[in-house]
Protein backbone atom coordinates (compact mmCIF):
# COMPACT_ATOMS: atom_id res chain seq x y z
CA UNK A 1 0.00 0.00 0.00
CA UNK A 2 1.34 3.39 -0.95
CA UNK A 3 1.81 5.79 1.95
CA UNK A 4 1.58 9.54 1.67
CA UNK A 5 0.50 12.42 3.89
CA UNK A 6 -3.10 11.31 3.61
CA UNK A 7 -2.61 7.56 4.00
CA UNK A 8 -1.73 6.80 7.59
CA UNK A 9 -1.15 3.58 9.44
CA UNK A 10 -2.73 4.35 12.78
CA UNK A 11 -4.99 1.43 13.65
CA UNK A 12 -2.62 -0.92 15.43
CA UNK A 13 -0.68 1.90 17.02
CA UNK A 14 -3.86 3.47 18.38
CA UNK A 15 -4.66 0.39 20.44
CA UNK A 16 -1.34 0.70 22.23
CA UNK A 17 -1.39 4.46 22.60
CA UNK A 18 -4.72 4.43 24.43
CA UNK A 19 -3.35 2.37 27.30
CA UNK A 20 -0.09 4.28 27.43
CA UNK A 21 -1.66 7.74 27.36
CA UNK A 22 -4.82 7.28 29.40
CA UNK A 23 -5.24 9.43 32.48
CA UNK A 24 -8.58 7.91 33.43
CA UNK A 25 -8.79 6.18 36.79
CA UNK A 26 -12.01 4.18 36.49
CA UNK A 27 -11.14 0.60 35.53
CA UNK A 28 -14.24 -1.54 35.46
CA UNK A 29 -15.13 -4.39 33.18
CA UNK A 30 -17.25 -3.83 30.10
CA UNK A 31 -20.14 -5.93 28.88
CA UNK A 32 -21.28 -6.71 25.36
CA UNK A 33 -23.10 -3.76 23.74
CA UNK A 34 -26.90 -3.92 24.01
CA UNK A 35 -29.27 -3.11 21.14
CA UNK A 36 -32.75 -1.58 21.37
CA UNK A 37 -35.23 0.06 18.99
CA UNK A 38 -34.93 3.87 19.04
CA UNK A 39 -37.50 4.77 16.38
CA UNK A 40 -38.45 4.51 12.72
CA UNK A 41 -37.81 6.74 9.72
CA UNK A 42 -40.75 7.93 7.60
CA UNK A 43 -40.23 5.00 5.22
CA UNK A 44 -40.42 2.51 8.09
CA UNK A 45 -36.67 1.87 8.43
CA UNK A 46 -35.90 0.85 11.99
CA UNK A 47 -33.29 2.91 13.83
CA UNK A 48 -31.50 1.17 16.67
CA UNK A 49 -29.70 2.44 19.74
CA UNK A 50 -26.61 0.64 20.99
CA UNK A 51 -25.59 1.01 24.64
CA UNK A 52 -21.98 0.47 25.73
CA UNK A 53 -20.30 0.79 29.10
CA UNK A 54 -16.67 0.33 30.10
CA UNK A 55 -14.17 1.86 32.47
CA UNK A 56 -16.72 4.27 33.91
CA UNK A 57 -17.88 5.68 30.56
CA UNK A 58 -21.40 5.08 29.22
CA UNK A 59 -22.11 5.58 25.53
CA UNK A 60 -25.28 5.37 23.41
CA UNK A 61 -24.94 5.29 19.62
CA UNK A 62 -27.64 5.38 16.93
CA UNK A 63 -27.55 3.51 13.63
CA UNK A 64 -28.84 6.73 12.05
CA UNK A 65 -25.83 8.92 11.34
CA UNK A 66 -23.58 6.94 13.68
CA UNK A 67 -24.81 9.49 16.20
CA UNK A 68 -23.53 9.64 19.77
CA UNK A 69 -26.94 10.14 21.36
CA UNK A 70 -25.49 10.39 24.87
CA UNK A 71 -22.14 10.04 26.60
CA UNK A 72 -22.14 9.85 30.39
CA UNK A 73 -19.12 10.31 32.62
CA UNK A 74 -18.80 10.89 36.39
CA UNK A 75 -17.75 14.11 38.13
CA UNK A 76 -15.24 14.33 40.97
CA UNK A 77 -17.87 12.91 43.36
CA UNK A 78 -18.74 10.02 41.06
CA UNK A 79 -22.05 11.52 39.89
CA UNK A 80 -22.92 10.72 36.27
CA UNK A 81 -24.39 13.05 33.68
CA UNK A 82 -24.73 13.17 29.91
CA UNK A 83 -22.10 15.58 28.55
CA UNK A 84 -23.19 15.61 24.87
CA UNK A 85 -26.11 17.46 23.29
CA UNK A 86 -28.79 15.52 21.45
CA UNK A 87 -32.46 14.56 21.17
CA UNK A 88 -34.63 11.84 22.69
CA UNK A 89 -36.42 10.98 19.43
CA UNK A 90 -35.50 10.18 15.84
CA UNK A 91 -37.86 12.76 14.35
CA UNK A 92 -35.84 15.69 15.69
CA UNK A 93 -32.58 14.16 14.47
CA UNK A 94 -34.06 13.89 10.97
CA UNK A 95 -35.71 17.31 10.81
CA UNK A 96 -33.74 19.66 13.04
CA UNK A 97 -30.32 18.42 14.08
CA UNK A 98 -27.26 20.67 13.65
CA UNK A 99 -25.15 17.50 13.40
CA UNK A 100 -25.56 16.59 17.09
CA UNK A 101 -23.13 13.73 17.82
CA UNK A 102 -22.95 12.62 14.20
CA UNK A 103 -20.34 10.98 12.01
CA UNK A 104 -19.39 13.48 9.31
CA UNK A 105 -18.45 12.62 5.70
CA UNK A 106 -17.60 12.39 2.97
CA UNK A 107 -15.96 15.69 3.76
CA UNK A 108 -16.01 17.26 7.21
CA UNK A 109 -16.30 21.03 7.18
CA UNK A 110 -16.72 23.31 4.16
CA UNK A 111 -15.71 23.16 0.52
CA UNK A 112 -15.93 26.56 -1.15
CA UNK A 113 -18.72 26.92 -3.73
CA UNK A 114 -19.18 23.14 -3.49
CA UNK A 115 -16.58 22.63 -6.21
CA UNK A 116 -13.13 21.16 -6.57
CA UNK A 117 -10.88 19.93 -9.38
CA UNK A 118 -9.09 16.58 -9.20
CA UNK A 119 -6.82 15.20 -11.92
CA UNK A 120 -8.05 17.89 -14.29
CA UNK A 121 -11.76 17.21 -13.81
CA UNK A 122 -14.10 19.56 -11.95
CA UNK A 123 -16.70 18.12 -9.58
CA UNK A 124 -19.83 19.93 -8.40
CA UNK A 125 -20.99 18.86 -4.95
CA UNK A 126 -24.27 19.23 -3.12
CA UNK A 127 -24.47 22.83 -1.84
CA UNK A 128 -26.17 23.20 1.55
CA UNK A 129 -24.46 26.13 3.34
CA UNK A 130 -25.09 29.25 1.34
CA UNK A 131 -22.88 28.87 -1.73
CA UNK A 132 -20.78 26.15 -0.07
CA UNK A 133 -20.90 22.45 0.66
CA UNK A 134 -20.86 21.63 4.38
CA UNK A 135 -20.20 18.25 6.03
CA UNK A 136 -20.72 16.20 2.87
CA UNK A 137 -23.77 17.99 1.47
CA UNK A 138 -27.53 17.82 1.98
CA UNK A 139 -27.38 14.10 2.77
CA UNK A 140 -23.98 13.50 4.28
CA UNK A 141 -22.94 10.57 6.44
CA UNK A 142 -24.83 12.12 9.35
CA UNK A 143 -28.14 11.38 7.56
CA UNK A 144 -27.60 7.79 6.42
CA UNK A 145 -28.24 4.49 8.19
CA UNK A 146 -25.06 2.68 9.18
CA UNK A 147 -24.70 -1.08 9.50
CA UNK A 148 -23.45 -1.82 13.01
CA UNK A 149 -21.74 -4.86 14.50
CA UNK A 150 -20.90 -5.03 18.22
CA UNK A 151 -17.64 -6.52 19.48
CA UNK A 152 -15.73 -7.38 22.61
CA UNK A 153 -11.97 -7.64 22.30
CA UNK A 154 -10.05 -8.46 25.46
CA UNK A 155 -11.07 -5.80 27.97
CA UNK A 156 -12.43 -3.45 25.26
CA UNK A 157 -16.00 -3.20 23.96
CA UNK A 158 -17.20 -1.39 20.90
CA UNK A 159 -19.01 -1.09 17.62
CA UNK A 160 -18.01 -1.45 13.99
CA UNK A 161 -19.98 0.94 11.77
CA UNK A 162 -20.12 0.40 7.99
CA UNK A 163 -21.41 2.54 5.15
CA UNK A 164 -20.79 2.44 1.39
CA UNK A 165 -21.18 5.74 -0.45
CA UNK A 166 -21.75 5.06 -4.15
CA UNK A 167 -19.97 6.82 -6.98
CA UNK A 168 -21.57 10.24 -7.52
CA UNK A 169 -23.33 10.44 -4.15
CA UNK A 170 -23.58 14.15 -3.22
CA UNK A 171 -21.38 14.76 -6.29
CA UNK A 172 -18.27 12.94 -5.00
CA UNK A 173 -16.38 10.62 -7.34
CA UNK A 174 -15.73 6.98 -6.53
CA UNK A 175 -17.46 4.34 -4.45
CA UNK A 176 -16.20 4.95 -0.92
CA UNK A 177 -16.33 2.02 1.50
CA UNK A 178 -16.16 3.35 5.03
CA UNK A 179 -15.60 1.60 8.36
CA UNK A 180 -15.61 3.49 11.66
CA UNK A 181 -14.78 1.78 14.94
CA UNK A 182 -16.04 3.12 18.27
CA UNK A 183 -14.14 1.55 21.17
CA UNK A 184 -14.60 1.98 24.92
CA UNK A 185 -11.46 0.82 26.69
CA UNK A 186 -11.11 -0.59 30.19
CA UNK A 187 -9.82 2.87 31.21
CA UNK A 188 -12.99 4.56 29.95
CA UNK A 189 -11.39 6.13 26.86
CA UNK A 190 -13.54 6.52 23.77
CA UNK A 191 -11.43 5.84 20.69
CA UNK A 192 -12.62 6.47 17.13
CA UNK A 193 -10.81 4.80 14.23
CA UNK A 194 -11.74 5.81 10.68
CA UNK A 195 -10.97 3.75 7.56
CA UNK A 196 -12.00 4.17 3.92
CA UNK A 197 -11.11 2.88 0.46
CA UNK A 198 -12.18 4.03 -2.99
CA UNK A 199 -12.30 2.68 -6.54
CA UNK A 200 -11.72 6.16 -8.06
CA UNK A 201 -9.62 9.14 -7.03
CA UNK A 202 -11.66 11.20 -4.56
CA UNK A 203 -11.38 13.44 -1.51
CA UNK A 204 -12.28 12.40 2.01
CA UNK A 205 -12.20 14.01 5.46
CA UNK A 206 -14.08 12.15 8.20
CA UNK A 207 -14.75 13.44 11.71
CA UNK A 208 -17.14 13.34 14.67
CA UNK A 209 -19.45 16.21 15.62
CA UNK A 210 -20.15 15.73 19.32
CA UNK A 211 -21.34 18.88 21.10
CA UNK A 212 -19.60 18.89 24.49
CA UNK A 213 -20.75 20.42 27.77
CA UNK A 214 -18.82 18.77 30.58
CA UNK A 215 -21.13 20.25 33.22
CA UNK A 216 -24.06 18.43 31.61
CA UNK A 217 -26.06 18.84 28.41
CA UNK A 218 -28.74 21.05 29.96
CA UNK A 219 -26.53 23.09 32.32
CA UNK A 220 -26.07 26.37 30.42
CA UNK A 221 -23.08 27.86 28.62
CA UNK A 222 -19.58 26.45 28.25
CA UNK A 223 -17.94 29.89 28.48
CA UNK A 224 -16.44 28.99 31.88
CA UNK A 225 -14.91 25.75 30.54
CA UNK A 226 -11.11 25.84 30.46
CA UNK A 227 -9.49 24.95 27.14
CA UNK A 228 -6.00 24.52 25.79
CA UNK A 229 -5.05 23.71 22.17
CA UNK A 230 -1.51 22.82 21.09
CA UNK A 231 -1.50 25.06 18.02
CA UNK A 232 0.49 28.19 17.16
CA UNK A 233 -1.48 28.90 13.97
CA UNK A 234 -5.03 28.82 12.64
CA UNK A 235 -6.70 29.24 9.26
CA UNK A 236 -8.52 32.61 8.94
CA UNK A 237 -11.74 32.59 6.90
CA UNK A 238 -13.70 34.90 4.66
CA UNK A 239 -17.29 36.00 5.30
CA UNK A 240 -18.54 32.61 4.06
CA UNK A 241 -16.27 30.79 6.57
CA UNK A 242 -14.01 29.47 3.78
CA UNK A 243 -10.27 29.58 4.60
CA UNK A 244 -8.31 32.31 2.85
CA UNK A 245 -5.29 30.00 2.54
CA UNK A 246 -3.28 31.85 5.17
CA UNK A 247 -1.81 30.03 8.18
CA UNK A 248 -1.99 32.89 10.67
CA UNK A 249 -0.29 33.07 14.05
CA UNK A 250 -2.60 32.85 17.06
CA UNK A 251 -0.29 35.08 19.12
CA UNK A 252 -2.00 38.34 20.05
CA UNK A 253 -5.45 37.15 18.89
CA UNK A 254 -8.52 35.65 20.60
CA UNK A 255 -7.48 32.33 19.01
CA UNK A 256 -4.48 31.81 21.28
CA UNK A 257 -5.26 28.78 23.46
CA UNK A 258 -1.65 27.69 23.88
CA UNK A 259 -2.06 28.53 27.55
CA UNK A 260 -5.20 27.33 29.26
CA UNK A 261 -7.94 29.93 29.39
CA UNK A 262 -11.71 29.96 29.60
CA UNK A 263 -13.68 29.63 26.39
CA UNK A 264 -15.43 32.91 27.11
CA UNK A 265 -12.35 34.97 27.96
CA UNK A 266 -11.94 36.52 24.50
CA UNK A 267 -15.07 35.37 22.68
CA UNK A 268 -16.64 38.85 22.67
CA UNK A 269 -13.51 40.69 21.53
CA UNK A 270 -14.15 42.88 18.47
CA UNK A 271 -12.09 40.79 16.05
CA UNK A 272 -13.15 40.44 12.40
CA UNK A 273 -12.75 36.65 12.47
CA UNK A 274 -15.13 36.37 15.44
CA UNK A 275 -17.62 38.57 13.60
CA UNK A 276 -17.50 36.28 10.57
CA UNK A 277 -18.16 33.19 12.72
CA UNK A 278 -20.56 34.86 15.19
CA UNK A 279 -18.08 33.47 17.69
CA UNK A 280 -15.46 30.79 17.16
CA UNK A 281 -15.86 28.48 14.15
CA UNK A 282 -12.28 28.00 12.99
CA UNK A 283 -9.65 25.40 12.24
CA UNK A 284 -6.48 25.25 14.34
CA UNK A 285 -3.26 24.12 12.65
CA UNK A 286 -1.94 21.64 15.20
CA UNK A 287 1.76 22.04 15.99
CA UNK A 288 2.36 18.30 15.72
CA UNK A 289 1.11 18.03 12.11
CA UNK A 290 0.08 14.63 10.76
CA UNK A 291 1.33 11.79 12.93
CA UNK A 292 1.23 8.01 12.64
CA UNK A 293 0.11 7.72 16.26
CA UNK A 294 -2.38 9.88 18.18
CA UNK A 295 -0.75 12.73 20.09
CA UNK A 296 -2.34 15.03 22.65
CA UNK A 297 -3.70 18.20 21.09
CA UNK A 298 -6.40 19.63 23.38
CA UNK A 299 -7.67 19.59 26.95
CA UNK A 300 -11.14 20.76 28.00
CA UNK A 301 -12.12 21.04 31.69
CA UNK A 302 -15.26 22.06 33.55
CA UNK A 303 -14.09 23.55 36.86
CA UNK A 304 -17.47 23.11 38.58
CA UNK A 305 -17.57 19.31 38.18
CA UNK A 306 -13.90 18.57 37.61
CA UNK A 307 -14.76 16.63 34.46
CA UNK A 308 -11.89 16.76 31.99
CA UNK A 309 -11.63 15.69 28.35
CA UNK A 310 -8.21 15.16 26.80
CA UNK A 311 -8.00 14.58 23.06
CA UNK A 312 -5.27 12.90 21.04
CA UNK A 313 -5.31 12.49 17.26
CA UNK A 314 -3.31 11.63 14.17
CA UNK A 315 -4.93 14.52 12.29
CA UNK A 316 -3.27 17.88 11.49
CA UNK A 317 -6.26 20.12 12.30
CA UNK A 318 -8.87 20.78 14.98
CA UNK A 319 -12.08 22.68 14.26
CA UNK A 320 -13.25 24.50 17.39
CA UNK A 321 -16.89 25.58 17.14
CA UNK A 322 -18.40 27.41 20.10
CA UNK A 323 -22.07 26.60 19.47
CA UNK A 324 -22.77 29.98 17.88
CA UNK A 325 -25.82 28.92 15.88
CA UNK A 326 -27.80 27.29 18.69
CA UNK A 327 -30.73 29.70 18.68
CA UNK A 328 -33.21 28.53 21.29
CA UNK A 329 -35.38 26.55 18.88
CA UNK A 330 -34.19 23.05 19.85
CA UNK A 331 -35.22 21.03 22.90
CA UNK A 332 -32.63 18.52 24.03
CA UNK A 333 -32.58 15.17 25.80
CA UNK A 334 -32.81 16.82 29.22
CA UNK A 335 -35.94 18.77 28.25
CA UNK A 336 -34.17 22.15 28.13
CA UNK A 337 -33.83 24.58 25.23
CA UNK A 338 -30.37 24.86 23.71
CA UNK A 339 -29.06 28.39 23.29
CA UNK A 340 -25.92 29.98 21.88
CA UNK A 341 -22.82 28.78 23.69
CA UNK A 342 -24.50 25.84 25.46
CA UNK A 343 -21.87 23.46 24.03
CA UNK A 344 -18.77 23.36 21.87
CA UNK A 345 -17.35 21.02 19.24
CA UNK A 346 -13.74 19.90 18.85
CA UNK A 347 -13.57 18.19 15.45
CA UNK A 348 -10.27 16.52 14.55
CA UNK A 349 -9.78 16.79 10.81
CA UNK A 350 -7.81 17.87 7.78
CA UNK A 351 -8.36 21.52 6.97
CA UNK A 352 -11.56 22.99 5.49
CA UNK A 353 -11.56 23.52 1.71
CA UNK A 354 -8.30 21.56 1.32
CA UNK A 355 -9.23 20.35 -2.20
CA UNK A 356 -9.05 24.01 -3.31
CA UNK A 357 -6.00 24.97 -1.24
CA UNK A 358 -2.80 23.46 -2.69
CA UNK A 359 -0.74 24.57 0.34
CA UNK A 360 -2.95 22.60 2.78
CA UNK A 361 -2.30 18.90 3.58
CA UNK A 362 -3.89 16.79 0.84
CA UNK A 363 -7.23 15.06 1.34
CA UNK A 364 -6.97 13.04 -1.89
CA UNK A 365 -7.52 9.28 -1.65
CA UNK A 366 -6.70 7.01 -4.58
CA UNK A 367 -7.49 3.40 -5.44
CA UNK A 368 -5.13 1.05 -3.62
CA UNK A 369 -4.71 3.42 -0.68
CA UNK A 370 -6.49 3.20 2.67
CA UNK A 371 -7.57 6.29 4.55
CA UNK A 372 -6.85 5.81 8.26
CA UNK A 373 -7.12 8.30 11.11
CA UNK A 374 -7.59 7.93 14.86
CA UNK A 375 -8.85 10.16 17.65
CA UNK A 376 -8.81 9.23 21.35
CA UNK A 377 -11.00 10.92 23.99
CA UNK A 378 -9.84 10.39 27.58
CA UNK A 379 -11.98 11.38 30.55
CA UNK A 380 -11.17 12.10 34.17
CA UNK A 381 -12.45 14.18 37.09
Amino acid sequence: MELNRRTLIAGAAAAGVTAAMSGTAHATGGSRPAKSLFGRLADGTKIYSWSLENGGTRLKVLSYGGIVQSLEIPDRRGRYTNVSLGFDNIEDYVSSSPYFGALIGRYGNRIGKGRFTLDGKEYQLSVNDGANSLHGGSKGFDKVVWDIEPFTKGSDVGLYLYYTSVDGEMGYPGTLRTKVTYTLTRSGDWRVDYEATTDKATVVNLTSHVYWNLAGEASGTIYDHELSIAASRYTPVDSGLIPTGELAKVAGTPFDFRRTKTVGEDIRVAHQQLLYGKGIDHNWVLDKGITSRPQWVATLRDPSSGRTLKMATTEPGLQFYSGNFLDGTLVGTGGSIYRQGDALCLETQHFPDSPNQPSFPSTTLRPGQTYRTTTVHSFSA
Side-chain angles (χ1 to χ4, degrees):
M1 178 176 64
E2 178 187 349
L3 296 182
N4 57 22
R5 297 192 65 174
R6 197 66 194 107
T7 309
L8 304 173
I9 305 296
V17 87
T18 299
M21 296 165 59
S22 171
T24 313
H26 351 283
T28 63
S31 56
R32 188 169 180 81
K35 177 182 178 182
S36 62
L37 182 65
F38 184 74
R40 288 179 170 83
L41 300 182
D43 64 3
T45 301
K46 293 180 179 179
I47 302 302
Y48 292 99
S49 171
W50 289 88
S51 298
L52 303 79
E53 183 171 0
N54 203 10
T57 300
R58 302 168 180 169
L59 182 66
K60 288 187 178 179
V61 176
L62 304 182
S63 55
Y64 181 80
I67 287 168
V68 172
Q69 195 254 341
S70 70
L71 195 154
E72 298 182 8
I73 55 174
D75 65 7
R76 61 169 64 93
R77 297 181 182 179
R79 297 174 299 190
Y80 277 84
T81 195
N82 175 24
V83 297
S84 65
L85 270 58
F87 299 117
D88 62 4
N89 63 88
I90 190 59
E91 291 79 14
D92 282 344
Y93 279 112
V94 171
S95 65
S96 308
S97 180
Y99 306 99
F100 283 153
L103 281 176
I104 301 298
R106 290 188 188 191
Y107 198 96
N109 222 302
R110 295 172 174 86
I111 294 180
K113 298 181 180 178
R115 294 199 301 262
F116 68 92
T117 299
L118 181 59
D119 296 339
K121 181 176 180 179
E122 183 177 275
Y123 294 92
Q124 177 63 58
L125 307 175
S126 165
V127 171
N128 62 328
D129 181 54
N132 306 316
S133 183
L134 174 65
H135 293 332
S138 59
K139 190 178 181 181
F141 287 5
D142 60 296
K143 297 178 180 68
V144 302
V145 179
W146 291 72
D147 293 325
I148 296 183
E149 295 179 5
F151 70 85
T152 57
K153 188 181 299 183
S155 58
D156 295 343
V157 299
L159 303 171
Y160 298 123
L161 298 93
Y162 300 94
Y163 178 69
T164 297
S165 176
V166 299
D167 184 20
E169 186 171 281
M170 296 293 103
Y172 288 90
T175 295
L176 191 77
R177 301 184 185 278
T178 306
K179 176 185 177 183
V180 179
T181 305
Y182 288 169
T183 304
L184 286 186
T185 73
R186 64 178 299 176
S187 299
D189 293 350
W190 174 42
R191 190 176 73 239
V192 186
D193 294 293
Y194 304 88
E195 298 178 37
T197 59
T198 184
D199 61 359
K200 240 186 235 187
T202 192
V203 296
V204 60
N205 189 29
L206 307 180
T207 191
S208 171
H209 210 292
V210 173
Y211 282 68
W212 301 101
N213 186 323
L214 297 182
E217 62 84 30
S219 62
T221 78
I222 41 75
Y223 293 153
D224 62 347
H225 279 36
E226 299 164 349
L227 177 65
S228 63
I229 302 175
S232 302
R233 295 175 296 168
Y234 77 107
T235 51
V237 296
D238 63 19
S239 60
L241 301 182
I242 299 299
T244 62
E246 180 186 5
L247 304 182
K249 293 181 179 180
V250 300
T253 77
F255 302 95
D256 192 350
F257 283 86
R258 291 173 297 173
R259 66 166 181 85
T260 301
K261 66 179 182 181
T262 63
V263 171
E265 181 173 326
D266 295 320
I267 205 165
R268 308 252 181 227
V269 171
H271 189 285
Q272 185 59 62
Q273 288 295 307
L274 295 180
L275 291 171
Y276 282 152
K278 296 182 172 58
I280 298 172
D281 193 3
H282 293 75
N283 169 68
W284 268 251
V285 180
L286 298 172
D287 290 340
K288 72 173 189 63
I290 299 172
T291 49
S292 60
R293 298 184 180 187
Q295 294 185 15
W296 293 126
V297 295
T299 300
L300 180 69
R301 181 177 181 270
D302 168 43
S304 64
S305 66
R307 293 187 186 92
T308 301
L309 163 65
K310 292 185 176 181
M311 295 182 67
T313 188
T314 59
E315 288 282 64
L318 179 73
Q319 183 81 10
F320 170 23
Y321 166 58
S322 58
N324 318 321
F325 299 103
L326 298 173
D327 60 3
T329 62
L330 304 176
V331 179
T333 51
S336 294
I337 292 172
Y338 294 146
R339 297 189 181 277
Q340 185 181 54
D342 279 359
L344 60 81
C345 301
L346 297 169
E347 304 156 61
T348 55
Q349 58 173 18
H350 269 52
F351 305 167
D353 200 38
S354 289
N356 296 312
Q357 303 283 353
S359 64
F360 288 1
S362 174
T363 54
T364 300
L365 181 70
R366 298 186 180 278
Q369 299 176 341
T370 300
Y371 169 101
R372 287 189 176 97
T373 75
T374 297
T375 296
V376 180
H377 310 76
S378 295
F379 306 102
S380 61

